[in-house]
């Protein structure tokens, strides 16, 4: 796996059970997966010679991010390195403009968009579709980086001029008034077998996913099914091998628009480790190694994953102490830590809670993640009976 972040770390965990050994290409020895995987190659993912050396002896090469230059992927593929997903598919997860154009060409609903090569492109788009609009870097963005909300023509002119001067490829799109955000996660094997997990709701704050509710609560069953079908259709049409996450906007009209594609395990699928018969990490391995796919069915009626985001100023307790308190209070919470330094806003872990109904499950998951991040329970979180006694 090229890249050694938390996705590679959790893929390694799944590889252990399948009797496989995951080699990772890590930028640093302290990368989340480099700390745990047995076979670590240190090097840059944007260096062709490094990628070539890394691939020698691998059955298949897959990715924990989208940042490998597409032209390098094409060279490797021409040299018979087996890449999953291949460059023709992966290009649509690497380049938001190419993805929008291809999906629109296939008749898949996407927000209105336009390529931006000069500031006037945004101004005329805004004049046509209205303000605010969303300016996006076509390549290289993640977690809301590479995304600018533009409210008026003057602001647009200034921001676009600055960005174009640094040669960032750009597109602009309508800021859609969605009802909520969903994700349809599927896998497709080399053989062409497909499997779909239940459609989930994702909750974002400041452009970062903070919570995933599985399945998406009160989602119309036909709409859920059409989301799954859409994702399987995109996977088959683009020739994706591995996990495909389709980020969706649910519109008030009941329509689904595609926001973004990721062709790897995705934050919206972390809940599957504890909440589904087959996790997205195991499924990704099965798909790229051409095993039959595992059952994607949920193991509980409600499952919530909350990300642990590094807090600005955690309380006096170190993370291990916070973990202790959390485990004592909520033995049902499943904690996954990535061994990453606690920088503000950075994803350093996640907590998953499964149960019979959404409301209590969500409350525990969200409070647990907040406590792990900060050492404090959120305002209004009910005080545990035993804590009341000791108080
Ligand atoms: N056209 C739009 N209209 C309204 N909100 C949008 C639009 N595009 C993006 N957003 C908001 O910004 C978030 C991030 O956008 P996007 O997924 O394109 O960027 P990213 O930085 O690549 O994200 P990721 O964290 O998935 O890597 C979306 O989840 C959504 O909340
Ligand atoms: Mg996104």
């Amino acid at each position: 796996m090229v890249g050694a972040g938390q996705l590679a770390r959790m893929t390694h965990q799944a590889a252990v059970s399948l009797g496989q050994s995951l080699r990772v290409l890590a930028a640093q020895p302290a990368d989340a997966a480099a700390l745990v995987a047995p076979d670590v190659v240190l090097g840059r993912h944007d260096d062709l010679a490094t990628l070539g050396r890394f691939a020698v002896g691998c059955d298949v090469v897959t990715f924990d991010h989208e940042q490998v230059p597409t032209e390098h992927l094409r060279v490797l593929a021409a040299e018979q390195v087996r890449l999953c997903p291949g460059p023709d598919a992966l290009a649509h997860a690497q380049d938001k403009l190419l993805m929008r154009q291809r999906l629109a060409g296939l008749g898949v609903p996407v927000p209105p968009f336009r390529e931006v090569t000069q500031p006037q492109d945004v101004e005329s788009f805004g004049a046509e579709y209205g303000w605010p609009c969303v300016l996006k870097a076509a390549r290289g963005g993640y977690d809301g980086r590479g995304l600018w909300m533009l409210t008026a023509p003057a602001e647009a002119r200034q921001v676009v001029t600055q960005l174009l001067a640094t040669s960032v490829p750009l597109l602009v799109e309508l800021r859609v008034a969605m009802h909520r955000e969903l994700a349809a996660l599927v896998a497709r094997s080399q053989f062409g077998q497909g499997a779909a997990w239940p459609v989930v709701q994702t909750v974002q704050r400041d452009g970062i996913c903070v919570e995933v509710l599985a399945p998406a609560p009160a989602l119309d069953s036909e709409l859920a099914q059409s989301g799954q079908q859409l994702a399987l259709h995109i996977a088959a049409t683009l020739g994706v091998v591995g996990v495909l996450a389709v980020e969706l906007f649910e519109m008030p009209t009941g329509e689904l628009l595609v926001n973004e594609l990721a062709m790897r395990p995705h934050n919206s699928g972390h809940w599957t480790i504890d909440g589904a018969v087959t996790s997205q990490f195991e499924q990704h391995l099965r798909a790229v190694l051409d095993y039959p796919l595992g059952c994607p069915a949920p193991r509980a009626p409600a499952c919530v994953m909350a990300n642990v985001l590094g807090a600005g100023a955690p309380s006096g307790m170190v993370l291990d102490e916070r973990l202790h308190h959390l485990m004592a209070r909520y033995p049902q919470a499943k904690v996954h830590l990535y061994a990453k330094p606690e920088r503000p806003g950075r994803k350093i872990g996640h907590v998953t809670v499964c149960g019979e109904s959404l409301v209590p499950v969500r409350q525990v998951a969200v409070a647990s993640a907040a406590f792990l991040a900060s050492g404090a329970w959120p305002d209004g979180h009910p005080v545990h009976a035993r804590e009341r006694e000791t108080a």
Side-chain angles (χ1 to χ4, degrees), residues 3-94:
Q6 63 264 27
L7 301 178
R9 183 179 169 99
M10 292 183 274
T11 305
H12 161 66
Q13 237 171 338
V16 171
S17 304
L18 298 184
Q20 296 286 340
S21 169
L22 186 75
R23 175 181 301 172
V24 296
L25 180 62
Q28 323 267 353
D31 283 355
L35 294 172
V36 293
D39 186 358
V40 180
V41 174
L42 288 175
R44 295 179 60 100
H45 62 257
D46 56 2
D47 180 67
L48 182 58
T50 302
L51 289 164
R53 271 198 309 276
F54 172 73
V56 174
C58 292
D59 294 308
V60 58
V61 175
T62 187
F63 308 91
D64 110 325
H65 59 67
E66 288 83 29
Q67 312 301 339
V68 179
T70 318
E71 62 270 21
H72 290 358
L73 298 175
R74 294 202 190 283
V75 173
L76 294 169
E79 289 170 354
Q80 311 305 316
V81 175
R82 194 188 278 193
L83 303 173
C84 292
D88 291 336
L90 196 59
H92 301 90
Q94 298 185 305

Side-chain angles (χ1 to χ4, degrees), residues 31-384:
D31 283 355
L35 294 172
V36 293
D39 186 358
V40 180
V41 174
L42 288 175
R44 295 179 60 100
H45 62 257
D46 56 2
D47 180 67
L48 182 58
T50 302
L51 289 164
R53 271 198 309 276
F54 172 73
V56 174
C58 292
D59 294 308
V60 58
V61 175
T62 187
F63 308 91
D64 110 325
H65 59 67
E66 288 83 29
Q67 312 301 339
V68 179
T70 318
E71 62 270 21
H72 290 358
L73 298 175
R74 294 202 190 283
V75 173
L76 294 169
E79 289 170 354
Q80 311 305 316
V81 175
R82 194 188 278 193
L83 303 173
C84 292
D88 291 336
L90 196 59
H92 301 90
Q94 298 185 305
D95 187 318
K96 287 181 158 96
L97 180 62
L98 178 70
M99 177 267 294
R100 286 267 180 274
Q101 288 165 335
R102 182 74 192 276
L103 293 184
L106 292 172
V108 171
V110 294
F113 70 97
R114 187 169 297 165
E115 182 177 6
V116 175
T117 57
Q118 49 178 358
Q120 288 81 343
D121 294 333
V122 178
E123 291 172 51
S124 62
F125 182 88
E128 194 173 326
Y129 290 97
W131 301 88
C133 47
V134 187
L135 183 72
K136 291 183 176 182
R139 303 180 73 97
Y142 67 100
D143 284 352
R145 286 178 239 187
L147 185 147
W148 301 265
M149 294 289 173
L150 301 176
T151 53
E155 184 189 14
R157 210 170 309 130
Q158 195 201 344
V159 174
V160 173
T161 306
Q162 270 176 11
L163 288 169
L164 287 175
T166 62
S167 308
V168 183
L170 296 170
L171 71 154
V172 63
E173 54 190 52
L174 179 65
R175 181 175 177 173
V176 300
M178 82 262 305
H179 167 52
R180 60 177 168 173
E181 295 190 49
L182 305 173
L185 195 73
V186 299
R188 182 172 173 276
S189 72
Q190 288 201 33
F191 178 69
Q193 191 189 7
W197 286 274
V199 172
V200 300
Q201 179 177 346
T202 64
V203 181
Q204 338 282 325
R205 202 184 311 129
D206 302 328
I208 300 185
C209 172
V210 289
E211 264 183 87
V212 173
L213 318 179
L219 179 62
D220 177 81
S221 64
E222 272 177 34
L223 199 59
Q225 218 171 64
S226 75
Q228 290 178 316
Q229 294 298 342
L230 179 65
L232 288 167
H233 172 66
I234 293 172
T237 309
L238 299 185
V240 178
V241 174
V243 166
L244 169 72
V246 181
E247 298 179 5
L248 297 164
F249 297 149
E250 184 187 359
M251 302 304 291
T253 52
E255 194 190 9
L256 295 178
L257 303 183
V258 172
N259 175 38
E260 212 192 356
L261 306 179
M263 296 176 191
R264 50 165 169 78
H266 188 252
N267 202 169
S268 66
H270 289 357
W271 68 275
T272 58
I273 300 174
D274 303 299
V277 176
T278 307
S279 83
Q280 63 165 347
F281 300 99
E282 177 180 339
Q283 197 79 302
H284 187 73
L285 289 169
R286 286 185 184 225
V288 305
L289 293 167
D290 207 13
Y291 289 112
L293 298 181
C295 170
R299 290 204 274 204
C303 188
V304 174
M305 188 273 341
N307 277 334
V308 182
L309 300 178
S315 69
M317 280 185 270
V318 296
L319 181 57
D320 185 56
E321 220 173 333
R322 286 174 251 150
L323 184 60
H324 239 88
H325 283 279
L326 172 70
M327 286 174 162
R329 177 154 179 184
Y330 291 121
Q332 73 274 42
K334 302 298 288 182
V335 177
H336 302 260
L337 295 173
Y338 311 151
K340 286 162 70 174
E342 293 181 71
R343 276 193 236 117
R346 194 178 195 206
K347 291 172 184 167
I348 59 165
H350 71 266
V351 180
T352 304
V353 179
C354 300
E356 292 305 309
S357 67
L358 177 68
V359 172
V361 158
R362 186 176 186 182
Q363 196 184 34
V364 172
V366 170
S368 298
F371 181 81
L372 271 181
S374 69
W377 296 105
D379 287 345
H381 191 68
V383 175
H384 196 278

